């Protein structure tokens, strides 16, 4: 079975932009596009409709929303097969469930209940934290397309366990599909005692930590296919700060998130959580087995 790109739609401007981006991603990958609307309308409608028949039901409005999103996707990418579905369920649960049979899930940074675009919506956080496939959250001014953007590069944050990383594979695929270079970033920091200025614990220790970061990059990129342009960067900074700085000049930032079996809390990690809330570009969170 060919897996689709799934996108959550709710009629908001961020979700419409997410639909555009997802349609382009589906075209790049030769995949189908699945438009998903989910709401708990059955829980609060019922008898209310009998008292106010002049108002359209939530289910009717939901159908209008997905029909509009479908027409928009077909106009944008006529060759992409588009399907739609409505679920009487909380959107975060519906999208996490859909992620079990998806290539990737795409969501806007907030939905109709969002307060400000500077804050990430709760649905986006929950989906990114629990999905079974990569989740792309459309932060920043991403010009509504997944094709090569203004910056022409993909940035990958290389974490603590880079060998065999799903995030590396996903970032590599994205760079190859778009025909752009991949920039791999590994942050490093010297321990606090190494900044005291003592001649025996300065200089050489810093070089050692930077060398370890460079070795981690090489380990992460050892299976990168020939022909893909790769830029390696080691940066002395907190990983979150280094990636947020890189997000200002990239079209997609890719980070991994560890999934611990049997753990039901948010499974993002501090770095992924930080870039999801503050990045200046779309962020792909790729689940990694613990």
């Amino acid at each position: 079975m060919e897996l689709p790109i799934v996108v959550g739609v709710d009629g908001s401007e961020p979700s419409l932009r997410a639909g555009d981006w997802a349609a382009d991603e589906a075209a790049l990958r030769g995949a189908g596009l699945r438009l998903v609307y989910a709401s708990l309308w059955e829980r609060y409608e019922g008898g209310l409709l009998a008292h106010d028949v002049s108002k359209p039901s939530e289910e009717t409005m939901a159908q209008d929303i997905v029909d509009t999103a479908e027409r928009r996707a077909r106009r944008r990418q006529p060759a992409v097969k588009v399907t739609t579905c409505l679920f009487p369920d909380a959107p975060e649960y519906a999208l996490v469930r859909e992620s079990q049979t998806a290539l990737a899930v795409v969501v806007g940074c907030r939905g109709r209940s969002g307060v400000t675009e500077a804050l990430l919506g709760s649905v986006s956080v929950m989906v990114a934290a629990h999905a079974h496939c990569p989740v792309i959250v459309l932060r920043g001014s991403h010009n509504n397309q997944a094709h090569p953007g203004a910056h022409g590069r993909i940035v990958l944050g290389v974490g603590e366990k880079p060998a065999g990383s799903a995030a590396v594979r996903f970032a590599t695929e994205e760079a190859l599909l778009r025909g752009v270079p991949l920039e791999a970033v590994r942050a490093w920091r010297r321990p606090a005692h190494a900044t005291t200025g003592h001649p025996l614990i300065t200089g050489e220790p810093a070089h050692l930590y930077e060398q370890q970061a460079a070795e981690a990059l090489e380990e992460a990129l050892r299976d990168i296919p020939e022909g893909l342009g790769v830029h390696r960067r080691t940066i002395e900074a907190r990983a979150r700060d280094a990636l947020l700085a890189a997000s200002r000049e990239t079209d997609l930032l890719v980070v991994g998130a560890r999934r611990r079996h049997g753990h039901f809390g948010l499974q993002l990690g501090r770095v992924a959580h930080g870039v999801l809330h503050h990045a200046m570009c779309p962020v792909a969170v790729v689940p990694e087995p613990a």
Side-chain angles (χ1 to χ4, degrees):
M1 180 179 66
E2 294 184 359
L3 302 181
I5 301 295
V6 169
V7 57
V9 297
D10 64 5
S12 66
E13 179 58 28
S15 85
L16 290 174
R17 298 172 69 194
D20 291 345
W21 203 97
D24 288 350
E25 182 73 12
L28 280 173
R29 291 178 172 269
L33 176 65
R34 184 166 170 84
L35 306 171
V36 174
Y37 182 100
S39 173
L40 293 170
W41 68 75
E42 288 187 346
R43 185 169 295 180
Y44 58 77
E45 281 192 345
L48 292 177
L49 293 179
H51 298 289
D52 193 355
V53 295
S54 64
K55 286 187 176 181
S57 70
E58 175 75 10
E59 186 172 4
T60 299
M61 290 189 293
Q63 189 63 59
D64 289 342
I65 287 170
V66 295
D67 287 347
T68 299
E70 181 181 12
R71 289 193 297 269
R72 181 166 171 150
R74 292 187 187 280
R75 286 196 303 268
R76 187 177 184 90
Q77 294 291 349
V80 170
K81 180 182 178 181
V82 182
T83 58
T84 66
C85 55
L86 305 179
F87 292 115
D89 198 358
E92 57 269 35
Y93 296 136
L95 290 171
V96 169
R97 187 170 59 247
E98 287 288 301
S99 76
Q100 297 180 67
T101 54
L103 274 175
V105 173
V106 181
V107 292
C109 63
R110 62 187 175 92
R112 287 184 295 176
S113 62
V115 177
T116 170
E117 195 156 347
L119 300 175
L120 189 64
S122 59
V123 171
S124 303
V125 172
M126 290 296 293
V127 176
H130 295 286
H132 302 272
C133 68
V135 175
I136 299 117
V137 179
L138 298 188
R139 290 202 53 83
S141 55
H142 51 78
N143 72 6
N144 295 15
Q145 63 180 20
H147 294 298
H151 302 293
R153 68 171 180 163
I154 304 295
V155 169
L156 165 69
V158 175
E160 291 296 330
K161 298 179 180 179
S165 166
V168 173
R169 293 194 297 271
F170 183 83
T172 299
E173 291 174 1
E174 286 290 321
L176 288 170
L177 287 168
R178 300 169 187 231
V180 300
L182 174 64
E183 180 168 312
V185 175
R186 170 71 176 179
W188 61 276
R189 299 178 73 189
R190 70 188 85 187
H193 70 263
T195 63
T196 60
H198 191 285
L200 296 180
I201 55 176
T202 57
E204 185 61 28
H207 174 73
L208 175 62
Y209 300 127
E210 184 174 15
Q211 180 179 344
Q212 291 173 342
E215 291 172 353
L217 278 179
E218 292 303 321
E219 175 68 13
L221 302 174
R222 65 183 181 185
D223 296 324
I224 294 293
E226 295 183 8
L228 175 62
V230 180
H231 306 295
R232 298 162 174 82
R233 291 179 62 196
T234 58
I235 302 174
E236 184 177 9
R238 293 192 306 172
R240 173 185 171 224
D241 294 341
L243 294 176
L244 288 179
S247 76
R248 299 189 186 102
E249 297 181 346
T250 188
D251 300 311
L252 180 67
L253 173 61
V254 181
V255 294
R258 294 282 162 192
R259 295 288 193 261
R260 289 175 288 172
H261 182 69
H263 181 76
F264 298 101
L266 287 180
Q267 300 192 55
L268 281 174
R270 287 178 295 177
V271 174
H273 190 272
V275 297
L276 276 175
H277 279 275
H278 300 288
M280 301 298 290
C281 70
V283 177
V285 177
V286 182
E288 304 274 10

